[in-house]
Amino acid sequence: MASQTGLHIKPQLLVGPVTALEFIEDVLISGEGPYLSVYSVERTTSILTEDVLSPCNIHGFRKGWSTSSLICVFGQKSVRILHLVKDHARYRIKCLTDICEFEDWIWDVAWVCVKKGDQDSVLSLALGHNVVLLWDWQRDSVLQRVTCEEKCILYCAKFVGQSWDDLVLAAGTVFNQVIIWSMNGQKDVQGQQVVLQRLSGHQGVIFSICFDPRTKRLCSVSDDRSIKLWQLTCTLNKTDNKMSDSAGYDMDEGDITLEDWSNMEYTLINTLYGHSARVWDVGLLEHFIVSVGEDSTCVLWSYEGKVIQKFKGHKGKSIWSLAVNESQNLLVTGGGDCSIRAWPITTTLTGASEVTEKKLALPVQTGSSMQVGDFPRSVAFLGDLVMLVMTNNGVLYKYEMLSSNWEVLMADTRYRSYSVLATSLCKRFIAVGNIHGDIKVFYLNDDALCVNQIEKSVYQGKVMNVLWLTDPGTDQCTKLLTSGSEGNVILWNVTTNADNICDLVKYANVSLPYCKQRWVSAAQYLHEEDILVCGDRGGTVHVYDCSHNGEASSPLQSFPKIHGKTGVTCICYHDNYVYTSGRDGQYRQYVFVDGKLELMNSNKVFKGLEWIDQLLFTSDGNMLILGFHTSYFVLWSVTHNQRLFQVDCGGGHRAWDFNLNQNIARFAYIKSGGIVACEGVVQLEQPILKPSIHGREMTRVVHLSTIKGAKCGDVHICATSSEDTTVNLVSFSHSSDGVCGLKVQNRLQGHISSVRALAGTHSNYTPTSDVTRVLFSAGGRAQIKCWRVNVFSQIANTQNPTVPLHDVDNKMVSTEKGSSSVMKSDTVLLDTKSGYRDIINSEVLTKDKHNTLPDCIPIVDCAVHMSLGETEQTRTQCNHTLSKAFLLSKSETRNFDDESTNTDSGVPTCTFEHLGSHMLGKSGKKCYKPWKKFQYNPNPETRYMDLTALTASMLDATMPTDLHFVAAACSDSYVRLFCFNEKTRTFNILGQSAFHCHCVLCVGHKIISNKCHNSVLIYSAGTDGKIAFWDVTQIMRHHVCAVILQREENKNVFHSSGDSKNGSACKRTHHMNNSNLDLPVPENMHNVDGSVPSISDCDKSHKCVNMELNVPTGQSVINQAGSRTANSTAKQSSTDHSDLKVEGIDMGDPTAVFHAHQSGVNAVSLKHIKDDWFILASGGDDNALHMTFLQMAAPEDKDGLLEVTVTGTAVNTSAHAAQITGVHVLDAKHLLTVSIDQRLNIWQLEDDCTQITLMESKFVNVADVADMDVWSSGENKYEVAICGVGLQVLSITL
């Protein structure tokens, strides 16, 4: 449809499955939707991106015979010829034809020669119903159309040959066969080509075929997960050609004629099984076979059928594309996770990647009584080529791996039967402890020769463990930690003098709290903080202040059983974070805040890896994990999501040690009384040309912030959720050359099922970051999680670190939510010269699937529509007006990318912290096993379909900023209202309603301005086609009132206890009195007589059940099943974990209900126009777009309750060809809709408000569209993010 005057839609970014790859000289080209991208493999960067085949997806490339820069791009039914031009160091794409569309799906394209010397003027095209076209692309003319006698639907096709006269097609049919036929062979009576050969054997359809003319081998892959390899031999005797024997002859490459094909013999020589799902593509190399499949695995095979290597770096499901550069021994794959990964195969060609094992025996010493019946007890590496072995008889051996030389360092019967051994990372120290409480320390020189040793008696009982502690950021070992049997832990200073004499000086003495296994299993000393972080064998992490020498001190902090009951295995410090790991299969990240360790997040590596033993960090930031998966020792790269090294050692319950020197991995372990030394090559630096986003389909996208003035253009920060159970924080930009700088900043893990909803609010809880967001995520198994996202505008700091960042107005704007989360996000303007940051109150519509932003107050429009060039005076006046009504929210970010190759310091970065979680199926019953915390009974039926969130201060500026209200649309027909307390990190359910009696699909909120106060309106829509409204203002206000009163009572308790204890209580009271989170009761919440209400007053004035406060006796509440029960609980303390209960008041009948659609309502958007007038737009499964014009007010004679009146409607029953999944009202005249039909429609509302006119329809390249988010980027300019199978961003100018 033709564009209207002034209307312009421009695609800015597409991130989707990589469906085609090809090497062109020294670069790689990829097909991502209709976009052709050029990558430098050497620099692992994107060079150029251009739309060349829109609206079709690219499925393949074919290089010209005479020049590889001549490329045929094809996909679906379309073909285009282009030229990749290199001007000096820059590339550009020159299109030689328009997009040419043909009659059927195109499976393969080949350049063919019709006459001698004319190789690149004609193409052959294999179509979906076994038809071949000969096409002259220069004249856009079909020269010939050839059909085969077999007319079945094809699933793949492959041309073999260069000449049209000898060209044959190998086609994979729906009947599990590979048929081979020629364009110029024998014809049947109907003039159709006869099939030359049928290859059978697969039990499923054929997905790909590959032919190698060098070896005359044909390979096919199938739905049955198998790979079949066929050998082709010509049985025709030729006297004028090279003969092999009477049975046939060897054919030269490219020398297969039509006569040869007619006399070909096909022999099945191998059937390969190694994929766990369908196999999509295959390639034949000189020495190997390579295949990719639905299991996201790339497998390298030998021609004998042996699996050489499996590459598992892609996430989720399906590797769709494959390219090989044999001259560089490089393999590149493109996956459904939108990533492109390169796999060097040089080490595999030489066989060096295989792990070699060597069994070692203790040396035989004649006449030595200590060798009788001796066997190794522990093993450790001292550097790269030296191994230490401690035996049962108390002998310490040093083994030189290069010379295979054994040397005795110690032979002491006091170390018989029991000993502990530790070596330092600096290769200078060895420590040994025994059962008598003695420790012996050896000091070695550069040649690993012992120059000094000392021995000390430390404990009365045995030494449980000895650990060398390395200073963070260095390899220097200055501390030795010893742990005794009664929890006595001593930290020693290790000193050496000029005469190479070492000594141990006691530095600190700490005591472990009592537990069953009371000794240290891992530790890390932080020199600058003078803090010792250690983990015990019982799974608890402790923090000690080492500045107090002398008597044993107790821990400052403890994290009880945080790694289960099987122990903490590793504690390390990297990049200002503390990491711990344990045998619970998780590693956790902490940060020091005000001298205390604060848990940020927890992560699992992969399913089945339940024993993590050590964390390593490479110089480039790659995190390596050492652990055990069943009986295998595994070295895993978190950054590359790849298993690098693996040894079948029998499991982790044995003595072992690991050493990594550059790319050489060495692993030694003791098994069956013997020592086994293993060695192999690992690929630490895997080139990632494009990082992954999600492994499965995306379900939600939420815009958080836009950073202006960056070097790479405007940087947008978004959160995305997916079926793969993760939430990603991503930043991206789009520049004039089409290159997108997309980065996955963080991956938020922890959901046990798919994440279907996101919502966010502002937080002032972390003042150290530029901006802080509270992000809620929810989905399957009735699970909702809360995260704190801290945003750091690194651009301004890097430009001029001495200039502070300034906010024009530290106020929060009213947020509105549609289907997921609606936030007023600030646009941050950065002056790249001065580093000054300015916030413009532009209308950033975060997750407004349903509404534009805070037009709930008419005067807000002066700020919302402010241009970027307006004066400071105008902006200040608007901000002053805004501050009277609500606070201005902020949202930005901090970088923590695990895959992205973009290292530009100008990109904003963000960190995150997991605050809390709630499940409807939780049981409040305490568990006797503390490491299991609470019993979970996840509800497998209920899932959260949508969320909306707002902060209490958005309702009233005097309310606390740490209380966040969340409304959830649930599949069990309920609309539930929660409150999350950011301070206590608890969820409380305030109310719920089952009015819809059907699955609730979306929910949103709107803040309505009244004369005396603001009101909060919650709206929901479900599969019943109804849209309902609830006024929840009183529920929220009474809950806030009760929380404030409870905090005041807690303060009084602290004051009174401080009088008697005059210490910690007074200090805590002083801290709370200075907290901006503990506010007095607002005046508009006082009683009629002006007095401050008590807790009982709050309970009597409303039936809201506050889980933190008293629940009145006999109070009628609603449980999660919807039945009324009597609750006689008197008072719940903080140890009752009342947030686990699923109770709340029945919100009753809604304020208003509209029956808008015949079936499910997928998207709703509510927009304030002026005064008390609003527009409500909705789209549903009936393909209809429904607009309702509303008047909403709260008359004084109605006690402030909202009244909703319908003033008119407008309906388009066929707005899309499929269900509508996204609706957004831009202004009083325009709105957007998006649908499963992959159309983004812009509608205009006529002046009479009775008709909706389509202005523009734009095809989007995201399949299975699930969600849309819109935000403002300027006056009449909007950015639109659409997610589904991929993510696409478009710019709209009205």
Side-chain angles (χ1 to χ4, degrees):
M1 184 175 180
S3 298
Q4 302 291 326
T5 303
L7 177 61
H8 180 66
I9 304 177
K10 180 181 179 182
Q12 298 285 8
L13 163 71
L14 176 64
V15 180
V18 182
T19 53
L21 291 170
E22 186 65 66
F23 280 98
I24 304 293
E25 297 176 352
D26 57 345
V27 298
L28 177 80
I29 61 174
S30 70
E32 304 157 34
Y35 288 86
L36 185 152
S37 299
V38 182
Y39 293 90
S40 169
V41 180
E42 181 181 358
R43 300 195 305 270
T44 64
T45 56
S46 176
I47 301 174
L48 175 66
T49 298
E50 187 171 325
D51 185 349
V52 298
L53 205 64
S54 186
C56 299
N57 293 330
I58 298 174
H59 291 160
F61 304 104
R62 295 295 181 265
K63 298 181 290 186
W65 293 112
S66 59
T67 172
S68 60
S69 59
L70 181 65
I71 305 169
C72 172
V73 183
F74 68 94
Q76 296 177 211
K77 296 182 179 182
S78 300
V79 173
R80 193 171 196 177
I81 311 299
L82 51 86
H83 188 211
L84 184 62
V85 182
K86 183 177 181 180
D87 295 333
H88 303 292
R90 298 181 62 87
Y91 285 86
R92 62 182 178 88
I93 297 174
K94 180 181 180 181
C95 296
L96 303 181
T97 67
D98 294 331
I99 300 175
C100 302
E101 186 173 344
F102 292 87
E103 61 190 71
D104 203 351
W105 196 275
I106 300 173
W107 281 118
D108 193 23
V109 174
W111 297 93
V112 295
C113 179
V114 177
K115 57 183 179 179
K116 189 174 182 180
D118 191 10
Q119 291 182 320
D120 294 333
S121 61
V122 180
L123 286 162
S124 58
L125 286 71
L127 305 185
H129 285 77
N130 220 3
V131 175
V132 174
L133 302 180
L134 183 65
W135 179 54
D136 187 338
W137 64 270
Q138 294 175 330
R139 298 180 177 85
D140 190 13
S141 173
V142 176
L143 304 179
Q144 195 171 344
R145 187 178 190 274
V146 185
T147 61
C148 179
E149 63 176 352
E150 183 67 67
K151 297 184 178 63
C152 68
I153 297 176
L154 303 183
Y155 271 60
C156 65
K158 181 67 176 179
F159 282 112
V160 180
Q162 301 179 12
S163 170
W164 174 255
D165 294 334
D166 299 323
L167 188 69
V168 298
L169 181 69
T173 72
V174 72
F175 298 118
N176 312 338
Q177 291 182 331
V178 177
I179 61 174
I180 299 175
W181 61 284
S182 172
M183 312 325 55
N184 298 283
Q186 183 181 355
K187 298 181 179 180
D188 61 9
V189 294
Q190 297 179 351
Q192 299 170 339
Q193 293 295 324
V194 177
V195 174
L196 299 177
Q197 185 69 35
R198 297 176 184 268
L199 305 180
S200 302
H202 282 291
Q203 301 301 313
V205 297
I206 315 299
F207 287 130
S208 181
I209 299 171
C210 183
F211 180 77
D212 186 359
R214 299 169 297 188
T215 60
K216 306 302 180 291
R217 288 171 178 164
L218 184 143
C219 191
S220 59
V221 298
S222 170
D223 184 46
D224 62 6
R225 308 181 184 182
S226 70
I227 303 170
K228 291 188 178 294
L229 187 63
W230 310 79
Q231 180 65 60
L232 278 60
T233 307
C234 184
T235 59
L236 179 66
N237 291 323
K238 289 189 176 183
T239 57
D240 59 343
N241 210 339
K242 179 174 60 177
M243 302 291 294
S244 61
D245 52 41
S246 59
Y249 71 96
D250 295 327
M251 298 170 290
D252 295 329
E253 182 176 347
D255 195 30
I256 308 177
T257 65
L258 179 57
E259 184 180 11
D260 299 328
W261 283 109
S262 302
N263 295 274
M264 197 73 70
E265 184 179 274
Y266 303 82
T267 305
L268 179 63
I269 59 175
N270 217 334
T271 301
L272 313 178
Y273 287 94
H275 286 274
S276 59
R278 292 177 289 184
V279 187
W280 295 135
D281 201 2
V282 66
L284 298 178
L285 312 183
E286 183 177 0
H287 302 288
F288 303 103
I289 304 171
V290 57
S291 60
V292 296
E294 193 178 22
D295 56 359
S296 293
T297 303
C298 176
V299 183
L300 207 63
W301 312 76
S302 68
Y303 277 100
E304 291 74 28
K306 180 182 177 181
V307 175
I308 303 298
Q309 179 73 3
K310 284 189 176 183
F311 304 109
K312 295 184 177 181
H314 289 277
K315 300 177 180 179
K317 64 176 185 179
S318 291
I319 296 178
W320 291 115
S321 52
L322 171 68
V324 180
N325 189 330
E326 288 195 78
S327 62
Q328 298 181 9
N329 291 322
L330 193 63
L331 176 67
V332 179
T333 55
D337 60 352
C338 310
S339 70
I340 302 176
R341 295 172 177 264
W343 313 92
I345 56 177
T346 304
T347 57
T348 305
L349 290 171
T350 62
S353 64
E354 296 184 359
V355 177
T356 59
E357 291 189 355
K358 181 180 180 181
K359 294 185 178 180
L360 305 177
L362 295 178
V364 177
Q365 296 181 2
T366 58
S368 175
S369 61
M370 298 192 66
Q371 261 207 323
V372 179
D374 203 5
F375 57 88
R377 272 198 169 271
S378 56
V379 61
F381 283 102
L382 184 66
D384 304 325
L385 299 173
V386 177
M387 185 191 304
L388 300 178
V389 179
M390 190 72 186
T391 71
N392 184 63
N393 288 342
V395 181
L396 178 62
Y397 289 100
K398 184 179 74 171
Y399 175 71
E400 299 283 350
M401 302 180 68
L402 290 181
S403 61
S404 300
N405 181 48
W406 292 86
E407 178 186 345
V408 176
L409 293 181
M410 179 188 73
D412 193 336
T413 57
R414 290 177 54 82
Y415 292 82
R416 183 191 298 269
S417 302
Y418 174 86
S419 63
V420 288
L421 173 67
T423 60
S424 66
L425 192 61
C426 64
K427 311 174 188 178
R428 290 297 184 93
F429 299 102
I430 305 170
V432 186
N434 64 13
I435 199 171
H436 305 291
D438 303 327
I439 60 171
K440 186 175 289 188
V441 176
F442 300 85
Y443 178 56
L444 289 75
N445 60 14
D446 295 335
D447 298 325
L449 298 177
C450 181
V451 295
N452 179 240
Q453 63 179 356
I454 58 173
E455 186 171 10
K456 284 182 178 290
S457 180
V458 181
Y459 303 108
Q460 295 297 323
K462 65 179 178 181
V463 180
M464 302 301 298
N465 202 3
V466 290
L467 298 170
W468 290 102
L469 305 185
T470 305
D471 292 341
T474 68
D475 293 340
Q476 300 303 314
C477 297
T478 59
K479 296 287 189 296
L480 173 67
L481 182 143
T482 61
S483 180
S485 58
E486 298 299 325
N488 186 13
V489 180
I490 302 176
L491 189 63
W492 305 84
N493 262 338
V494 183
T495 62
T496 58
N497 57 24
D499 297 328
N500 289 328
I501 303 299
C502 68
D503 192 15
L504 294 179
V505 179
K506 183 183 294 187
Y507 181 74
N509 190 8
V510 300
S511 177
L512 291 177
Y514 178 80
C515 67
K516 187 176 181 180
Q517 297 172 310
R518 196 180 176 191
W519 68 86
V520 173
S521 56
Q524 175 67 60
Y525 175 73
L526 306 181
H527 177 74
E528 293 184 1
E529 294 84 359
D530 203 8
I531 291 293
L532 175 67
V533 183
C534 61
D536 62 29
R537 188 62 174 79
T540 301
V541 174
H542 306 283
V543 181
Y544 293 91
D545 183 1
C546 297
S547 59
H548 307 290
N549 298 327
E551 296 298 326
S553 60
S554 300
L556 295 175
Q557 283 180 277
S558 290
F559 298 84
K561 303 292 183 182
I562 193 170
H563 282 288
K565 62 178 181 179
T566 52
V568 181
T569 57
C570 178
I571 300 179
C572 59
Y573 185 83
H574 175 73
D575 196 20
N576 298 322
Y577 291 99
V578 175
Y579 294 85
T580 67
S581 66
R583 296 185 186 179
D584 59 345
Q586 297 196 25
Y587 65 93
R588 292 175 166 86
Q589 183 185 31
Y590 311 76
V591 65
F592 271 100
V593 178
D594 297 331
K596 289 191 175 182
L597 201 62
E598 187 172 303
L599 177 65
M600 299 290 290
N601 57 77
S602 302
N603 298 277
K604 289 186 74 70
V605 184
F606 64 87
K607 187 176 181 180
L609 187 66
E610 299 299 335
W611 185 331
I612 298 177
D613 207 283
Q614 192 174 349
L615 305 177
L616 300 177
F617 292 89
T618 62
S619 58
D620 59 353
N622 185 5
M623 177 189 283
L624 304 178
I625 291 181
L626 281 65
F628 293 90
H629 182 216
T630 63
S631 63
Y632 289 89
F633 169 81
V634 174
L635 175 64
W636 180 271
S637 171
V638 176
T639 303
H640 299 147
N641 191 36
Q642 174 71 16
R643 188 175 309 194
L644 305 178
F645 185 80
Q646 176 176 289
V647 175
D648 187 359
C649 65
H653 295 284
R654 64 193 67 253
W656 62 272
D657 198 11
F658 177 80
N659 176 264
L660 182 64
N661 180 23
Q662 295 180 351
N663 64 336
I664 304 296
R666 296 181 177 90
F667 177 69
Y669 63 97
I670 296 176
K671 185 176 183 180
S672 301
I675 307 167
V676 182
C678 306
E679 183 176 311
V681 177
V682 297
Q683 188 66 43
L684 293 177
E685 298 179 0
Q686 184 212 350
I688 300 177
L689 281 70
K690 183 182 178 185
S692 64
I693 305 299
H694 285 284
R696 302 294 293 270
E697 296 81 2
M698 298 186 197
T699 56
R700 285 290 186 270
V701 57
V702 173
H703 175 258
L704 300 179
S705 178
T706 296
I707 308 296
K708 290 185 175 293
K711 178 181 178 181
C712 53
D714 294 351
V715 179
H716 305 284
I717 313 296
C718 291
T720 60
S721 63
S722 169
E723 295 284 352
D724 64 1
T725 73
T726 64
V727 177
N728 283 351
L729 301 177
V730 301
S731 64
F732 59 87
S733 61
H734 36 259
S735 55
S736 58
D737 59 0
V739 176
C740 167
L742 186 139
K743 291 175 63 68
V744 178
Q745 300 270 359
N746 302 92
R747 298 190 191 277
L748 282 57
Q749 302 178 359
H751 281 275
I752 60 176
S753 186
S754 63
V755 186
R756 300 189 61 88
L758 295 174
T761 62
H762 173 68
S763 172
N764 286 330
Y765 199 76
T766 308
T768 56
S769 61
D770 293 334
V771 174
T772 304
R773 282 286 182 192
V774 173
L775 181 67
F776 297 93
S777 59
R781 309 294 289 274
Q783 183 184 31
I784 181 171
K785 283 185 171 291
C786 181
W787 318 81
R788 182 184 293 138
V789 180
N790 299 316
V791 181
F792 300 86
S793 180
Q794 200 175 52
I795 303 173
N797 294 331
T798 56
Q799 295 294 336
N800 189 351
T802 61
V803 180
L805 301 178
H806 301 283
D807 291 348
V808 172
D809 195 352
N810 187 23
K811 310 273 189 212
M812 185 189 309
V813 165
S814 162
T815 68
E816 321 173 344
K817 157 69 180 83
S819 150
S820 218
S821 138
V822 179
M823 293 177 284
K824 174 75 178 181
S825 302
D826 301 334
T827 300
V828 182
L829 300 180
L830 296 176
D831 187 340
T832 57
K833 296 182 180 180
S834 65
Y836 177 81
R837 181 171 65 90
D838 189 12
I839 296 181
I840 301 295
N841 295 325
S842 62
E843 188 178 7
V844 183
L845 311 181
T846 304
K847 189 58 201 156
D848 179 27
K849 184 173 182 182
H850 322 154
N851 3 34
T852 51
L853 283 174
D855 299 327
C856 52
I857 298 178
I859 201 168
V860 172
D861 290 338
C862 67
V864 168
H865 302 292
M866 188 188 307
S867 65
L868 301 182
E870 287 184 342
T871 64
E872 180 70 23
Q873 180 180 2
T874 304
R875 181 162 61 250
T876 304
Q877 291 173 353
C878 291
N879 287 336
H880 177 72
T881 306
L882 283 172
S883 65
K884 296 179 181 180
F886 39 69
L887 301 177
L888 176 65
S889 68
K890 305 185 292 181
S891 65
E892 296 143 49
T893 318
R894 150 106 153 102
N895 184 7
F896 199 141
D897 183 30
D898 59 341
E899 289 182 347
S900 176
T901 56
N902 187 356
T903 58
D904 187 0
S905 61
V907 177
T909 58
C910 58
T911 62
F912 72 95
E913 179 183 356
H914 180 242
L915 298 182
S917 180
H918 182 274
M919 298 181 72
L920 291 181
K922 266 189 179 181
S923 171
K925 180 180 178 182
K926 263 194 171 183
C927 183
Y928 290 104
K929 298 179 179 179
W931 56 89
K932 291 190 176 179
K933 300 193 176 180
F934 298 98
Q935 297 176 353
Y936 287 80
N937 298 303
N939 190 334
E941 302 296 333
T942 303
R943 64 171 57 187
Y944 291 115
M945 307 300 294
D946 198 11
L947 296 177
T948 184
L950 73 156
T951 304
S953 57
M954 298 176 184
L955 178 62
D956 192 302
T958 61
M959 291 184 178
T961 59
D962 63 333
L963 295 181
H964 308 280
F965 296 104
V966 183
C970 307
S971 64
D972 60 355
S973 78
Y974 277 87
V975 176
R976 291 183 169 91
L977 179 63
F978 297 89
C979 180
F980 179 76
N981 191 323
E982 191 178 356
K983 187 175 182 180
T984 63
R985 301 190 176 190
T986 55
F987 279 94
N988 303 307
I989 185 166
L990 307 182
Q992 57 186 9
S993 174
F995 164 79
H996 285 280
C997 298
H998 295 79
C999 174
V1000 187
L1001 296 177
C1002 56
V1003 66
H1005 79 271
K1006 191 74 176 180
I1007 299 180
I1008 311 297
S1009 176
N1010 303 315
K1011 293 182 179 180
C1012 56
H1013 61 81
N1014 292 337
S1015 299
V1016 178
L1017 189 70
I1018 298 293
Y1019 55 89
S1020 63
T1023 56
D1024 56 357
K1026 297 178 181 179
I1027 302 175
F1029 294 84
W1030 279 273
D1031 185 353
V1032 294
T1033 308
Q1034 294 302 317
I1035 298 177
M1036 293 182 176
R1037 285 184 177 275
H1038 283 90
H1039 179 76
V1040 173
C1041 173
V1043 171
I1044 294 175
L1045 291 174
Q1046 183 67 56
R1047 292 179 179 178
E1048 291 296 327
E1049 285 193 1
N1050 291 339
K1051 288 182 181 180
N1052 295 334
V1053 172
F1054 292 141
H1055 277 295
S1056 60
S1057 63
D1059 294 338
S1060 58
K1061 297 181 180 179
N1062 83 34
S1064 60
C1066 292
K1067 182 178 180 180
R1068 185 175 180 183
T1069 303
H1070 175 77
H1071 171 72
M1072 294 186 65
N1073 286 336
N1074 286 278
S1075 173
N1076 64 349
L1077 301 178
D1078 299 298
L1079 302 176
V1081 179
E1083 292 184 2
N1084 57 8
M1085 301 177 70
H1086 288 182
N1087 294 329
V1088 178
D1089 59 359
S1091 61
V1092 177
S1094 64
I1095 294 180
S1096 59
D1097 292 335
C1098 288
D1099 294 333
K1100 292 176 182 178
S1101 62
H1102 201 279
K1103 293 188 297 180
C1104 176
V1105 179
N1106 188 328
M1107 296 305 167
E1108 296 180 355
L1109 308 175
N1110 294 342
V1111 180
T1113 304
Q1115 172 80 37
S1116 178
V1117 299
I1118 304 296
N1119 60 20
Q1120 70 179 44
S1123 61
R1124 294 183 179 271
T1125 59
N1127 191 326
S1128 58
T1129 305
K1131 195 166 186 177
Q1132 300 186 22
S1133 66
S1134 60
T1135 59
D1136 287 335
H1137 301 280
S1138 57
D1139 63 295
L1140 302 180
K1141 294 185 178 181
V1142 184
E1143 298 176 342
I1145 70 167
D1146 184 357
M1147 295 194 300
D1149 295 331
T1151 304
V1153 180
F1154 309 108
H1155 200 142
H1157 294 268
Q1158 300 177 11
S1159 53
V1161 183
N1162 298 318
V1164 180
S1165 178
L1166 183 61
K1167 172 72 176 180
H1168 175 258
I1169 303 304
K1170 62 179 181 179
D1171 299 331
D1172 55 357
W1173 295 91
F1174 295 81
I1175 293 180
L1176 177 73
S1178 61
D1181 291 337
D1182 56 1
N1183 308 351
L1185 173 61
H1186 194 283
M1187 297 193 67
T1188 306
F1189 305 95
L1190 306 175
Q1191 186 176 9
M1192 289 190 283
E1196 295 182 1
D1197 58 347
K1198 298 294 183 179
D1199 297 327
L1201 296 178
L1202 282 173
E1203 287 188 349
V1204 181
T1205 305
V1206 178
T1207 61
T1209 59
V1211 181
N1212 188 323
T1213 57
S1214 301
H1216 285 270
Q1219 57 263 45
I1220 298 174
T1221 56
V1223 174
H1224 188 97
V1225 180
L1226 297 177
D1227 52 38
K1229 291 292 184 180
H1230 303 91
L1231 72 151
L1232 301 176
T1233 60
V1234 70
S1235 166
I1236 296 293
D1237 64 5
Q1238 295 183 244
R1239 295 293 190 276
L1240 174 66
N1241 290 347
I1242 303 180
W1243 305 86
Q1244 181 174 342
L1245 183 65
E1246 300 300 333
D1247 295 336
D1248 57 2
C1249 296
T1250 60
Q1251 187 176 359
I1252 311 170
T1253 303
L1254 179 64
M1255 296 179 62
E1256 177 77 7
S1257 182
K1258 178 70 175 179
F1259 181 84
V1260 297
N1261 300 104
V1262 176
D1264 297 334
V1265 175
D1267 190 33
M1268 174 179 67
D1269 190 19
V1270 182
W1271 63 95
S1272 174
S1273 58
E1275 185 176 2
N1276 295 327
K1277 294 181 180 180
Y1278 301 90
E1279 301 290 322
V1280 182
I1282 300 171
C1283 71
V1285 184
L1287 174 68
Q1288 187 168 15
V1289 179
L1290 305 96
S1291 295
I1292 297 178
T1293 303
L1294 297 178

